[in-house]
Amino acid sequence: MNVDQLIDGILEQDTRAIARGISIIENRSPQAETILRRIYARTGRARIVGVTGAPGSGKSTLVDRLIAQYRQADLRVAVLAIDPSSPFTGGAILGDRIRMQAHGVDPGTYIRSMATRGHLGGLARAAVDALSILDAAGFQIILVETVGVGQDEVEVAKTADITMVVLVPGMGDDIQTMKAGLMEISDLFVINKADRDGVPRVERELQALLSLTDRSDDWTPAIVKTIALESVGLEDLVSAIDQFFAFMKTSPRRTERQRERTAARLRELLQERLLKTALQVGNAEGEFDALVKRVSAKELDPYTAIEMLMPKLERRPIEDGVGKF
Ligand SMILES: Nc1nc2c(ncn2[C@@H]2O[C@H](COP(=O)(O)OP(=O)(O)OP(=O)(O)O)[C@@H](O)[C@H]2O)c(=O)[nH]1
Ligand SMILES: [Mg+2]
């Protein structure tokens, strides 16, 4: 499969091409950029639903049940599961595969795991690019499962159109310590394992916390109770997701949110590109490495080292395509 065939395959919703495309992105192979450039115009139609929450809160079970709901409505659904790397949950990956297998042969669903480790350019970057592939491939719903612990995961959640946070009864004071960052990006809360004791308490604490959170778009995050294992509350969850999209459609914040995301993405790409160029230019004669040695040996402080490198970067002529920075 050459790049043209691969891109055509992705746009024609061919599972093998989609899988290849995502692998190319994961490995940051040279074709990655070509693919991403060429499919960009075809993205922006999918509803990207981020599912985050503590390890074991039932995210995968919920995702699995959501697939069933959306398939019933005849929507094509993709899942991007960002594997938890924590040693407590590392073993869940196999379980996830088995549980989600029920949909494995359905061409209207596509499920993909991405490893948290070993991504050049960061996990968030690889995940966002993989989302573009799934979006261009015409999946109407893309569910992204992340464990709400690390910065990378919060970054991924930020790229979703809607982020739901899965909580469970008995979290006790954990809700109070829930990352402020996570609170801000949560559009919807799910209290899963509602078959357990302590639902009213989590709900109360959540409401108290919500009353303190000020959202610029005036959306009031819904709280939905589910028993994922028994598919209880799933219709409510789907309709809460729909309501959010309906709200966003008319919200003046929508364009703004879109622009913020685009700006963040461009900034990230720019940063990556400038750093790469700077290191190439700055180290053409081994200057960067020499400075590293001197700073490590405490002969020089890092701030002075950078000041010593800057003139070299600034002298770089514009003609060779890089310009001044
Ligand atoms: N009692 C009860 N158990 C549930 C419910 N939903 C999920 N579980 C169980 O909770 C455990 C964890 O579920 P997962 O879906 O793997 O949770 P997860 O959040 O994806 O976990 P990680 O990916 O490891 O972070 C499993 O044993 C599920 O069977 C529920 O509604 N009630
Ligand atoms: Mg899981």
Side-chain angles (χ1 to χ4, degrees):
M1 232 191 293
N2 64 30
V3 179
D4 288 331
Q5 289 165 329
L6 190 66
I7 293 169
D8 288 344
I10 291 169
L11 299 177
E12 285 158 16
Q13 323 185 330
D14 169 54
T15 306
R16 264 186 53 228
I18 295 167
R20 270 283 290 284
I22 296 180
S23 297
I24 286 171
I25 276 159
E26 278 199 292
N27 303 328
R28 294 231 62 75
S29 307
Q31 305 106 307
E33 223 175 276
T34 312
I35 297 171
L36 291 164
R37 268 188 215 166
R38 304 233 318 249
I39 63 168
Y40 183 74
R42 300 288 287 265
T43 62
R45 285 173 299 175
R47 290 184 165 184
I48 301 174
V49 181
V51 182
T52 190
S57 52
K59 300 179 293 294
S60 297
T61 316
L62 272 170
V63 162
D64 177 70
R65 301 305 157 99
L66 278 172
I67 295 174
Q69 292 286 322
Y70 286 123
R71 289 305 290 144
Q72 268 173 30
D74 222 18
L75 294 170
R76 299 181 73 235
V77 191
V79 175
L80 192 64
I82 311 297
D83 291 342
S85 61
S86 133
F88 294 108
T89 58
I93 297 165
L94 190 60
D96 281 355
R97 294 249 163 82
I98 291 165
R99 245 172 294 144
M100 288 178 175
Q101 235 168 30
H103 309 281
V105 286
D106 172 5
T109 63
Y110 178 81
I111 293 163
R112 174 80 175 221
S113 291
M114 263 184 143
T116 27
R117 296 218 176 90
H119 275 294
L120 299 167
L123 162 79
R125 173 69 195 288
V128 170
D129 290 343
L131 287 174
S132 295
I133 299 248
L134 296 171
D135 188 348
F139 289 101
Q140 287 133 314
I141 306 281
I142 305 173
L143 301 161
V144 190
E145 177 185 338
T146 58
V147 176
V149 285
Q151 189 52 41
D152 266 347
E153 285 77 7
V154 172
E155 287 304 314
V156 174
K158 272 189 193 164
T159 67
D161 296 309
I162 175 171
T163 298
M164 67 167 93
V165 174
V166 184
L167 305 169
V168 291
M171 275 180 78
D173 295 335
D174 288 358
I175 284 204
Q176 305 299 339
T177 56
M178 193 158 80
K179 268 209 199 132
L182 201 60
M183 199 71 201
E184 276 161 30
I185 58 166
S186 309
D187 305 303
L188 175 59
F189 290 91
V190 179
I191 302 178
N192 187 41
K193 308 199 184 185
D195 50 324
R196 294 193 177 165
D197 291 340
V199 175
R201 183 170 167 204
V202 202
E203 199 172 1
R204 252 191 339 266
E205 288 179 356
L206 190 53
Q207 258 152 1
L209 215 60
L210 276 175
S211 66
L212 300 172
T213 314
D214 191 23
R215 280 184 71 115
S216 56
D217 60 7
D218 292 328
W219 166 255
T220 310
I223 301 174
V224 180
K225 286 166 247 175
T226 59
I227 306 171
L229 266 186
E230 296 165 22
S231 295
V232 173
L234 265 297
E235 288 90 357
D236 289 349
L237 182 53
V238 169
S239 85
I241 295 170
D242 285 346
Q243 275 165 29
F244 177 78
F245 279 101
F247 171 88
M248 265 300 163
K249 219 173 180 170
T250 57
S251 166
R253 275 278 293 144
R254 185 178 174 220
T255 320
E256 210 179 308
R257 195 169 152 140
Q258 185 60 40
R259 292 235 173 99
E260 278 166 14
R261 266 195 290 180
T262 307
R265 193 154 179 215
L266 287 184
R267 228 178 271 127
E268 198 177 271
L269 290 177
L270 186 62
Q271 195 176 330
E272 196 178 294
R273 181 60 174 272
L274 288 179
L275 181 63
K276 195 174 153 202
T277 312
L279 286 176
Q280 266 168 8
V281 176
N283 205 28
E285 285 139 36
E287 301 89 330
F288 183 77
D289 293 342
L291 287 171
V292 169
K293 276 193 197 125
R294 290 182 62 195
V295 174
S296 299
K298 302 271 188 249
E299 289 168 22
L300 194 66
D301 71 89
Y303 302 92
T304 308
I306 293 300
E307 288 312 318
M308 288 167 72
L309 212 49
M310 283 315 284
K312 186 162 185 221
L313 305 182
E314 282 158 6
R315 270 201 312 274
R316 191 168 164 77
I318 288 175
E319 300 88 76
D320 55 11
V322 179
K324 282 188 149 202
F325 51 87

